[in-house]
């Protein structure tokens, strides 16, 4: 197996910089649409054979150094008892938002095998298909990001209801976050038992929090998850705090082995701040994949140069690849990361 990704996560020496791409399985790939057209997005997540097939597509086509399980951060919430819909053009919707104690009390803690067996089956299929290839990354949402979907009832621009609950009814907010955290610990432990080889925790919306609110309402739950995982396994954990450039010193206490960064920060500044305590992942602007090849090469070289001196570097985009991306450009980017980093090691 190609272990370059796992080595970089642990800060061990590598021959070149490993790369994977957030949302690498998805709508920019024509072969994804072929499988996706058989049903809804949730149908795809719940069909282990098909979910495994789309997971493998970017591994084979792009030549990335890790596979990421095809699923969604929101599927465990559905099994907590919050009905979930994915609507065309609108994205995820929870038609009954969770905003009072009765609603929180109704939420349960799903069993990974009994309730989310389709995810565990997908992992088991993938580990067989990935033999001799690359490691498999499992994932979850971070409790704050997951809570925003439940409280807002879907995606949001202002996170008004979430912040109102934090400020006006903190006991209720912490109650909800505690339940989501318990669910996430069981879910990620289930993924470990099923066979994932690294884990990423996505905190997609945490960048909307003031640092003091991050300390009180988000970070402790991430710390609790990672501590629980570290009690049962040594697998690398990546914490991706999107738009979290002002939360770096605090994120260093998350317990993660790797911190993921979006494109709004300069990695050379991050390298100085983290002082070798963690490895770094990131952080090319996703739309830089639309640059002409010579400029794309320069941009990739810039990210590689900025990450020099890091304890370890996993190249990635600063957020998910967008559906309009030319797959050939993504493939070229992976090739360039490999060839340019071999020269500079
Ligand atoms: O990265 C991968 O290739 C693995 C699969 C994966 C998906 N979602 C597939 C997906 C992963 C890791 C996620 C995580 C996820 N889901 C996050 C965190 C990462 C991030 O982007 O910040 C979030 C916030 C979600 C919630 C979610 N799922 C939204 C807001 C949407 C709709 C918006 C959008 O991008 O379309 C989804 C749908 C979704 N998840 C799609 C895919 C491939 C598109 C569904 C389709 O085929 O119609």
């Amino acid at each position: 197996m190609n272990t370059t990704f796992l080595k970089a996560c642990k800060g061990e020496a590598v021959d070149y910089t490993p790369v994977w791409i957030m949302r690498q399985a998805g709508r920019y790939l024509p072969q994804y649409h072929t499988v996706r057209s058989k049903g809804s997005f949730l149908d795809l997540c719940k069909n282990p054979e098909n979910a495994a097939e789309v997971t493998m597509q970017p591994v084979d086509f792009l030549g990335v150094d890790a596979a990421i399980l095809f699923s969604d951060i929101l599927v465990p919430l559905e099994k907590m008892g919050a009905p979930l819909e994915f609507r065309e053009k609108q994205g995820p919707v929870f038609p009954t938002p969770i905003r009072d104690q009765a609603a929180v009390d109704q939420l349960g803690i799903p069993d990974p095998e009994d309730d989310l067996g389709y995810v565990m089956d997908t992992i088991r299929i993938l580990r067989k298909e990935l033999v001799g290839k690359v490691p498999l990354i499992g994932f979850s949402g971070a409790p704050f990001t997951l809570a925003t979907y439940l409280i807002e009832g879907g995606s949001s621009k202002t996170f008004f209801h979430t912040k109102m609950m934090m400020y006006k009814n903190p006991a209720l907010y912490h109650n909800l976050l505690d339940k989501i955290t318990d669910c996430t610990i069981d879910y990620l432990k289930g993924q470990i038992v099923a066979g994932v080889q690294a884990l990423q925790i996505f905190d997609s919306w945490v960048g909307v929090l003031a640092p003091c609110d991050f300390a009180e309402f988000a970070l402790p739950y991430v710390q609790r998850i990672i501590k629980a995982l570290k009690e049962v396994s040594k697998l690398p954990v990546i914490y991706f705090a999107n738009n979290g450039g002002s939360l770096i010193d605090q994120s260093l206490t998350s317990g993660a082995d790797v911190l993921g960064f979006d494109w709004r920060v300069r990695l050379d500044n991050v390298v100085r701040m983290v002082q070798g305590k963690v490895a770094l992942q990131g952080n090319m602007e996703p739309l830089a994949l639309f640059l002409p090849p010579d400029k794309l090469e320069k941009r990739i070289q810039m990210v590689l140069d900025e990450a020099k001196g890091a304890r370890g570097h996993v190249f990635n985009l600063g957020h998910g690849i967008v559906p309009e991306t030319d797959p050939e450009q993504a493939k070229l980017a992976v090739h360039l990361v490999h060839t340019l980093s071999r020269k500079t090691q």
Side-chain angles (χ1 to χ4, degrees):
M1 183 180 66
N2 166 359
T3 55
T4 313
F5 162 75
L6 295 175
K7 283 186 180 147
C9 288
K10 292 188 206 138
E12 293 169 12
V14 287
D15 298 332
Y16 62 89
T17 303
V19 50
W20 67 279
I21 296 178
M22 286 192 274
R23 293 280 174 104
Q24 65 188 19
R27 290 162 295 178
Y28 73 105
L29 285 177
Q31 52 273 48
Y32 171 78
H33 290 281
T34 310
V35 183
R36 169 72 166 78
S37 63
K38 296 177 191 165
S40 71
F41 171 65
L42 273 178
D43 290 340
L44 175 49
C45 292
K46 290 175 185 177
N47 180 316
E49 296 290 339
N50 290 346
E53 183 179 344
V54 294
T55 304
M56 293 302 292
Q57 289 173 347
V59 175
D60 297 332
F61 176 75
L62 298 178
V64 282
D65 299 284
I68 180 159
L69 165 72
F70 188 85
S71 182
D72 198 87
I73 59 168
L74 302 177
V75 298
L77 300 182
E78 182 183 43
K79 295 296 174 180
M80 286 182 80
L84 165 65
E85 294 169 21
F86 278 89
R87 294 188 189 152
E88 220 54 55
K89 299 220 156 66
Q90 202 183 345
V93 176
F94 289 95
T96 332
I98 307 291
R99 295 192 189 151
D100 57 27
Q101 190 64 53
V104 173
D105 288 343
Q106 272 175 1
L107 296 174
I109 310 293
D111 178 89
E113 285 295 341
D114 296 345
D115 301 311
L116 292 152
Y118 53 85
V119 177
M120 308 306 147
D121 288 343
T122 307
I123 293 169
R124 285 186 279 262
I125 294 172
L126 281 167
R127 280 303 306 276
K128 287 192 192 127
E129 291 188 7
L130 285 165
V131 167
K133 294 189 172 178
V134 295
L136 177 64
I137 305 171
F139 68 88
S140 75
F144 171 76
T145 288
L146 293 175
T148 67
Y149 283 98
L150 288 179
I151 300 169
E152 305 294 333
S155 302
S156 173
K157 285 205 166 75
T158 61
F159 300 91
F160 181 77
H161 297 286
T162 309
K163 292 184 180 181
M164 283 306 101
M165 194 190 284
M166 280 166 27
Y167 294 156
K168 291 189 166 194
N169 198 344
L172 177 64
Y173 175 90
H174 284 299
N175 229 247
L176 174 60
L177 272 272
D178 260 325
K179 266 198 168 168
I180 294 173
T181 303
D182 289 341
C183 164
T184 305
I185 289 171
D186 288 357
Y187 181 52
L188 291 179
K189 282 185 178 173
Q191 292 188 30
I192 293 173
V193 173
V196 300
Q197 290 148 299
L199 288 163
Q200 173 152 324
I201 300 173
F202 286 93
D203 221 344
S204 305
W205 308 124
V206 78
V208 303
L209 290 177
C212 61
D213 290 328
F214 176 61
E216 184 173 349
F217 295 106
L219 179 61
Y221 297 101
V222 177
Q223 290 169 329
R224 179 147 83 82
I225 292 170
I226 297 176
K227 188 163 174 283
L229 297 176
K230 292 291 175 187
E231 278 163 14
V232 298
S233 104
K234 292 198 173 90
L235 298 187
V237 178
I238 306 164
Y239 176 52
F240 173 60
N242 184 32
N243 216 342
S246 54
L247 307 171
I248 298 172
D249 49 344
Q250 291 166 284
S251 296
L252 268 178
T253 69
S254 66
D257 305 272
V258 186
L259 294 181
F261 290 93
D262 64 86
W263 66 94
R264 298 165 191 88
V265 295
R266 270 178 47 173
L267 286 187
D268 51 352
N269 290 333
V270 179
V271 169
R272 273 192 292 277
M273 284 183 77
V274 306
Q275 297 183 328
K277 290 184 187 125
V278 290
L280 308 182
Q281 178 176 278
N283 72 340
M284 190 171 80
E285 146 80 272
L287 297 195
L289 289 175
F290 293 76
L291 286 167
D294 56 328
K295 288 189 173 158
L296 175 62
E297 175 167 344
K298 285 205 177 80
R299 182 65 72 107
I300 289 171
Q301 186 67 60
M302 183 194 85
V303 175
L304 291 171
D305 288 343
E306 286 185 2
K308 272 198 194 128
R311 178 183 154 82
H313 179 217
V314 175
F315 194 100
N316 205 318
L317 300 180
H319 204 180
I321 187 169
V322 303
E324 295 82 2
T325 308
D326 176 355
E328 290 298 336
Q329 284 278 107
K331 189 174 184 168
L332 173 63
V334 171
H335 173 73
L336 286 169
V337 172
H338 287 161
T339 51
L340 293 171
S341 64
R342 262 186 211 283
K343 277 188 215 151
T344 53
Q345 289 295 325

